[in-house]
Amino acid sequence: MKLIDKKQDIQGIRYHIAGSFNLITEDWQQKNFSEVKEKSKVIKPESSIKNVVLNGFKINSLIALILFIFNGTLNAQQAPTDANIFGHVTCGDGHLPLSTITIEGTTIGTATDNTGHYKLINLPEGTFTIKVQSIGYKSQTQELTTKAGTTLEINFDIEEDVIALEQIVVSSNRNEVSRKNATTIVNTISPKMFENTNSVCLAEGMSFQPGLRVETNCQNCGFQQVRINGLDGPYTQILIDSRAIFSALSGVYGIEQIPTNMIERVEVVRGGGSALFGSNAIAGTVNIITKEPNYNSFQVASNLSAIDKNSLDRTVNINTSLVSDDNKAGIMMFGSMRKRDHYDANNDAFSELGILENTSFGFRSYFKPTIYSKIIFEYHNLNEFRRGGNKFELQPHETDITEQTDHNINAGGLTYTLLSKNYKSKFSLYTSAQQTKRESYYGAEQDANAYGHTDDLAFVAGSQYNYDFTKFLFAQSTITTGLEYQLNNLHDKMPGYGRDLLQEVGIIGYFVQNEWKTEHLNFLIGARADKHNLINNVILSPRANLLYKITDDFSTRLSYSKGFRAPQAFDEDLHIMAVGGEVMLIQLADDLKTETSSTYSGSFDYYFDIFGLQTNFLIEGFYTKLTDVFVVEEIGTDAQGNMLLERRNGSGAEVYGINTELRTAFSKYLQLQMGFTSQKSKYTKSEQWADDETLEATKYLLRTPDNYGYFTLNFNPIKYSTISLSGVYTGKMYVPHYAGFIDNDKLEESPEFMELNFKLAQNFKIGTAMQLQINGGVQNILNSYQTDFDKGTFRDAGYMYGPSRPRTFFVGIKIGTNL
């Protein structure tokens, strides 16, 4: 048996999947596709599934429009009550601007102004709970009773929460809950983390969480993937606003295409999540929450980086938010531009980092027809051109080696939420879609057959209902249930290779869960049933989670969950590869079975405050067992003489280890966060990793270190000044090195890496609301970077490991409100 460890372990050219809406074929000429345009004509498949999706989208949109009009009518009928609230929010002696004030169980809310004051007018009569939240502070609630013609003064004095003790997350159970009270561990990456580490895209900031690693797996195209608890990228499900529209195609380059200025936070749940979100959530779930407007704001930022002092990387971002005076409508808009030069690490005239040109824009908006309903509409467009290889001034097919892609991605979503007047139930209707078009070239040795076109559609539509029981069986509980339809329609064509792949995946899923809550115990049990069109039987994914609060600040969690991957083409299966100048194609075995997982975890979570030192320490043990693991084996050649690889089921695998995390606020001026993972990842039986069967097989999951971790340290020595020090540690791992530049295949052991980063930022006040920030620093100070890259046309482009870039200097400037 021959095992090839997905894309990253194979030499040379990979064929990746990406694309956009049917909007731009004329860009071919601008991006050097014009000379062979006829070799890769656009394919527009007319599939019944696609028609169903488009009709379903129209139906959901019509339903949302009807509900919108209906609620608008109700809103018009509501007479002013002149029941008002006003007040301020403070922490000690200082007022807190831009704090969020909400009336729980309704959509009513506002934010404090620049002086820390707020007001709410014409409220409904009744008894309510008013809540204040502010980033870096503990939330606080008060009970109140409103009456017509009466104005109340409600003031808040809240405490600092530097370690994000009460941050609200949604990925634990598809409902809003504080991290401290969630039955599963949910880690978050905040905009402040992205800023302090100078991360300009999602990929650059994701290594600063326990159990996560981001690695670059190709010198030519820069393919990156997220590994959770040591498992490959396709084992992780990436969501956008809790919707599964981030397809396998998007997984090739997607985490580098998403700019950080569109992100409110990233939530990470380790372990099987198929019971909540469906297929592919085996290693864990990454949920990208986009920014929502809460108050009026404006920011413009620019960053210039010098990679090894030779290649430049330029980024410009703009954000603005507008919210109506009555807080019933708002919109957040963003734009981003990035241009990166190629970088050659070993002076062989071939790139280790390719050219990257990225432009993105979008918005997220809301409208509240009544105090019990809310409509959210989101849209974004991502355009990206990337190219790696050599002879960048020539057409791709005139070079020794080139991987070039031109993406246009359009995505959006519509969500309608309705709350009951007794505040016990919540109903949501949602639909989201992402369509991608990509023109590509993946070839070597002046191959004119390597042009291709890919069209991909991901679509999700569903509904969710929550109900809060005062008592269900033995305790207070919340039940969550919903129905969801997911579709992924992929059409990939490379005429020169006679390749025409059409894959249609449709999944109907039903999920239900109930969480009981007592003073010391939270217990959740649930399951999801998925009918996948490529699987005969219904897949049942159960989960059980327990949170026991030994004390108010010391708790333990136990979790069990199942996950699955369907027998379908994933990003690593859809590549065209050239190894030693020979084209390689991957196909699926006819008898490929579903890959399943079972994950068990247990943890202790301790919050304590000693002498004003806020600290959170977490330790988690995890064990994942994989059955019918997907592997790739060589099976011969096709009619054109191309080498064929087939994705088959191999032996099982086990991944187990310990995650630790420490968050400490020595004071409001000095904060430390660090995490470390120690683990083992092994196949049940030894697997052959190369063509040469005389080479010793291995049980190790390749490219997976046993030890890795991170830290961040932020210090505010003076007002408006921040010093940030961060680092990522990567331990030793086994990396396959395939013949081409070297004579024979070889399994290499990589060295350890310690990537240290430094940033200094200074803010200056401009008037009462505006600020100017100037920053600068160094990434990878120690230049901890791979030194043994292959060279030339026949290099193993997948022989790449460790930090994604060498020492890089940067400077930046930012101006706006709320910096």
Side-chain angles (χ1 to χ4, degrees):
M1 176 182 289
K2 172 190 173 185
L3 170 68
I4 294 183
D5 187 34
K6 307 191 188 319
K7 171 184 189 301
Q8 67 271 27
D9 299 331
I10 302 177
Q11 172 191 1
I13 310 301
R14 273 97 170 135
Y15 178 69
H16 306 302
I17 306 304
S20 83
F21 277 126
N22 299 325
L23 296 177
I24 56 159
T25 55
E26 64 270 22
D27 285 350
W28 279 35
Q29 184 173 6
Q30 300 175 9
K31 304 300 184 184
N32 300 328
F33 290 111
S34 57
E35 295 190 8
V36 287
K37 185 173 181 180
E38 292 302 314
K39 291 183 177 290
S40 182
K41 293 183 179 178
V42 176
I43 304 297
K44 298 181 180 179
E46 297 295 334
S47 68
S48 58
I49 293 182
K50 187 172 182 178
N51 291 333
V52 169
V53 170
L54 294 176
N55 290 333
F57 183 84
K58 294 176 182 177
I59 292 171
N60 279 284
S61 299
L62 179 60
I63 293 172
L65 180 60
I66 293 172
L67 291 170
F68 176 86
I69 296 172
F70 175 70
N71 280 307
T73 303
L74 289 179
N75 188 55
Q77 295 174 350
Q78 294 173 353
T81 62
D82 197 27
N84 309 316
I85 301 173
F86 75 95
H88 63 242
V89 179
T90 59
C91 179
D93 296 330
H95 284 77
L96 298 179
L98 306 180
S99 299
T100 303
I101 310 292
T102 56
I103 304 294
E104 292 192 332
T106 73
T107 62
I108 300 172
T110 188
T112 57
D113 60 21
N114 290 325
T115 67
H117 293 79
Y118 76 95
K119 64 178 179 180
L120 291 168
I121 62 174
N122 289 320
L123 300 174
E125 293 185 274
T127 300
F128 301 95
T129 299
I130 185 171
K131 184 176 184 178
V132 60
Q133 294 173 285
S134 188
I135 296 176
Y137 297 87
K138 295 181 181 180
S139 61
Q140 189 178 112
T141 61
Q142 292 189 41
E143 298 291 328
L144 60 92
T145 299
T146 57
K147 296 181 181 179
T150 302
T151 298
L152 302 176
E153 180 177 359
I154 306 293
N155 297 318
F156 294 92
D157 186 36
I158 59 180
E159 301 177 35
E160 287 187 291
D161 179 26
V162 185
I163 60 174
L165 174 70
E166 298 187 20
Q167 185 175 18
I168 300 300
V169 294
V170 296
S171 302
S172 173
N173 55 13
R174 297 183 74 121
N175 300 309
E176 291 187 350
V177 62
S178 69
R179 289 180 62 243
K180 185 178 180 181
N181 293 323
T183 56
T184 56
I185 298 171
V186 182
N187 290 98
T188 60
I189 307 172
S190 67
K192 189 60 68 175
M193 175 72 80
F194 287 127
E195 180 177 345
N196 291 339
T197 57
N198 205 55
S199 301
V200 299
C201 66
L202 175 65
E204 294 182 2
M206 292 191 66
S207 293
F208 298 97
Q209 289 296 316
L212 263 70
R213 272 197 332 113
V214 175
E215 60 181 28
T216 304
N217 297 143
C218 182
Q219 294 168 268
N220 294 323
C221 68
F223 165 65
Q224 292 183 315
Q225 63 173 308
V226 181
R227 287 177 175 255
I228 297 182
N229 288 348
L231 293 173
D232 287 342
Y235 287 95
T236 297
Q237 188 178 49
I238 299 179
L239 310 171
I240 298 180
D241 291 321
S242 302
R243 312 294 179 232
I245 59 172
F246 202 87
S247 64
L249 170 63
S250 303
V252 183
Y253 305 116
I255 61 173
E256 195 173 21
Q257 292 171 336
I258 297 178
T260 55
N261 70 315
M262 70 176 281
I263 301 173
E264 177 64 30
R265 66 182 183 277
V266 178
E267 299 181 5
V268 179
V269 179
R270 299 184 293 269
S274 292
L276 280 179
F277 300 108
S279 178
N280 306 333
I282 288 180
T285 302
V286 175
N287 194 358
I288 303 163
I289 309 298
T290 57
K291 289 186 176 180
E292 183 171 335
N294 292 317
Y295 41 78
N296 296 332
S297 65
F298 176 77
Q299 287 186 13
V300 177
S302 179
N303 187 84
L304 175 65
S305 298
I307 304 170
D308 198 21
K309 298 184 292 186
N310 295 317
S311 302
L312 297 181
D313 189 353
R314 317 155 191 87
T315 305
V316 177
N317 294 326
I318 183 170
N319 287 74
T320 186
S321 293
L322 298 172
V323 178
S324 64
D325 290 340
D326 59 5
N327 204 47
K328 290 183 178 180
I331 185 170
M332 182 282 299
M333 295 172 285
F334 75 91
S336 179
M337 296 180 63
R338 184 183 183 189
K339 185 175 182 180
R340 185 184 71 192
D341 301 335
H342 73 274
Y343 169 69
D344 179 7
N346 52 9
N347 298 316
D348 66 341
F350 288 78
S351 64
E352 271 64 55
L353 294 175
I355 291 173
L356 190 64
E357 297 178 8
N358 187 306
T359 303
S360 58
F361 68 91
F363 66 86
R364 181 181 173 97
S365 61
Y366 71 83
F367 176 66
K368 302 174 182 177
T370 73
I371 63 173
Y372 302 110
S373 60
K374 185 176 183 179
I375 297 171
I376 296 176
F377 180 52
E378 185 270 340
Y379 167 80
H380 63 265
N381 171 268
L382 305 175
N383 276 280
E384 185 199 67
F385 172 79
R386 64 171 65 212
R387 176 172 173 171
N390 75 331
K391 299 180 181 178
F392 291 90
E393 73 281 2
L394 299 179
Q395 296 283 335
H397 64 279
E398 296 176 338
T399 67
D400 299 307
I401 184 171
T402 289
E403 296 190 21
Q404 175 173 303
T405 61
D406 196 355
H407 298 80
N408 190 355
I409 303 170
N410 285 271
L414 181 67
T415 301
Y416 172 81
T417 302
L418 180 65
L419 306 172
S420 66
K421 292 186 177 181
N422 63 1
Y423 319 121
K424 287 185 174 293
S425 64
K426 177 181 177 181
F427 171 75
S428 295
L429 180 69
Y430 57 86
T431 183
S432 296
Q434 177 170 289
Q435 192 167 16
T436 310
K437 180 180 287 184
R438 184 195 65 180
E439 315 300 343
S440 62
Y441 179 89
Y442 292 91
E445 298 187 280
Q446 297 84 45
D447 186 359
N449 294 319
Y451 288 87
H453 171 81
T454 308
D455 196 5
D456 180 72
L457 171 67
F459 175 84
V460 175
S463 60
Q464 179 175 316
Y465 178 74
N466 306 331
Y467 188 83
D468 294 327
F469 290 94
T470 305
K471 186 175 183 180
F472 178 59
L473 297 180
F474 56 86
Q476 176 187 352
S477 75
T478 299
I479 189 169
T480 301
T481 184
L483 185 67
E484 187 172 77
Y485 176 70
Q486 300 177 8
L487 175 133
N488 184 208
N489 188 353
L490 172 71
H491 196 178
D492 172 51
K493 188 171 184 180
M494 296 189 75
Y497 289 153
R499 179 184 178 91
D500 191 349
L501 174 66
L502 178 62
Q503 176 178 270
E504 296 178 348
V505 174
I507 306 172
I508 297 177
Y510 173 76
F511 58 89
V512 61
Q513 66 180 24
N514 193 77
E515 181 176 356
W516 286 273
K517 307 170 187 177
T518 68
E519 183 179 357
H520 295 286
L521 179 68
N522 287 16
F523 176 64
L524 184 149
I525 186 169
R528 176 170 173 138
D530 287 288
K531 180 59 184 75
H532 197 294
N533 69 314
L534 300 180
I535 304 174
N536 292 328
N537 301 320
V538 173
I539 301 294
L540 184 65
S541 303
R543 69 178 296 211
N545 306 92
L546 182 146
L547 167 66
Y548 181 67
K549 299 178 182 179
I550 301 171
T551 68
D552 205 32
D553 295 319
F554 184 39
S555 59
T556 183
R557 292 180 176 90
L558 296 174
S559 297
Y560 165 76
S561 58
K562 285 189 69 72
F564 75 96
R565 288 209 296 165
Q568 66 188 66
F570 294 94
D571 52 12
E572 76 275 23
D573 302 319
L574 296 166
H575 303 147
I576 297 295
M577 297 163 283
V579 178
E582 187 175 20
V583 172
M584 304 176 69
L585 305 175
I586 297 178
Q587 65 183 36
L588 303 180
D590 292 334
D591 59 347
L592 186 64
K593 294 184 292 186
T594 302
E595 181 179 6
T596 60
S597 72
S598 296
T599 300
Y600 307 84
S601 68
S603 65
F604 290 99
D605 200 357
Y606 186 33
Y607 297 87
F608 56 92
D609 190 333
I610 300 178
F611 305 115
L613 185 71
Q614 293 185 33
T615 301
N616 172 215
F617 176 73
L618 182 144
I619 182 168
E620 174 197 31
F622 61 89
Y623 172 82
T624 299
K625 182 176 179 61
L626 303 175
T627 305
D628 294 322
V629 174
F630 293 161
V631 297
V632 178
E633 303 173 26
E634 184 179 335
I635 60 173
T637 59
D638 63 9
Q640 288 78 32
N642 299 318
M643 183 183 298
L644 289 180
L645 304 176
E646 186 173 72
R647 179 157 292 278
R648 296 177 173 176
N649 294 112
S651 65
E654 295 178 327
V655 179
Y656 54 91
I658 294 175
N659 288 312
T660 57
E661 183 179 14
L662 176 69
R663 298 168 179 247
T664 299
F666 299 98
S667 70
K668 65 180 180 180
Y669 307 109
L670 181 63
Q671 303 93 38
L672 171 68
Q673 179 177 329
M674 59 191 303
F676 191 80
T677 300
S678 181
Q679 66 170 66
K680 295 289 184 182
S681 306
K682 294 183 178 181
Y683 292 105
T684 305
K685 299 178 181 178
S686 295
E687 302 284 1
Q688 205 69 34
W689 59 274
D691 292 336
D692 188 354
E693 295 189 0
T694 64
L695 295 174
E696 184 179 357
T698 180
K699 276 192 171 184
Y700 289 100
L701 271 67
L702 302 179
R703 305 183 65 90
T704 301
D706 288 343
N707 300 291
Y708 51 96
Y710 77 97
F711 81 91
T712 62
L713 181 67
N714 301 313
F715 178 48
N716 304 101
I718 58 175
K719 193 173 184 180
Y720 303 125
S721 180
T722 303
I723 298 174
S724 301
L725 185 66
S726 60
V728 176
Y729 168 76
T730 304
K732 297 179 180 180
M733 57 183 163
Y734 290 106
V735 182
H737 192 179
Y738 294 102
F741 176 73
I742 61 174
D743 294 331
N744 300 297
D745 297 339
K746 186 179 180 182
L747 197 61
E748 308 273 11
E749 185 179 35
S750 71
E752 299 173 293
F753 294 96
M754 186 65 209
E755 182 181 4
L756 289 177
N757 313 300
F758 169 81
K759 181 177 181 178
L760 172 63
Q762 179 65 53
N763 288 16
F764 303 92
K765 278 196 91 172
I766 303 176
T768 58
M770 299 287 288
Q771 289 187 353
L772 170 70
Q773 182 189 99
I774 299 176
N775 61 73
V778 187
Q779 293 168 310
N780 201 351
I781 298 171
L782 303 178
N783 204 27
S784 184
Y785 194 59
Q786 183 177 347
T787 58
D788 63 340
F789 290 109
D790 282 0
K791 297 182 179 181
T793 304
F794 297 102
R795 66 182 181 175
D796 177 4
Y799 182 59
M800 191 174 191
Y801 54 84
S804 61
R805 63 191 160 206
R807 183 185 295 119
T808 300
F809 296 89
F810 66 88
V811 293
I813 187 170
K814 183 190 298 186
I815 187 170
T817 60
N818 194 33
L819 297 186

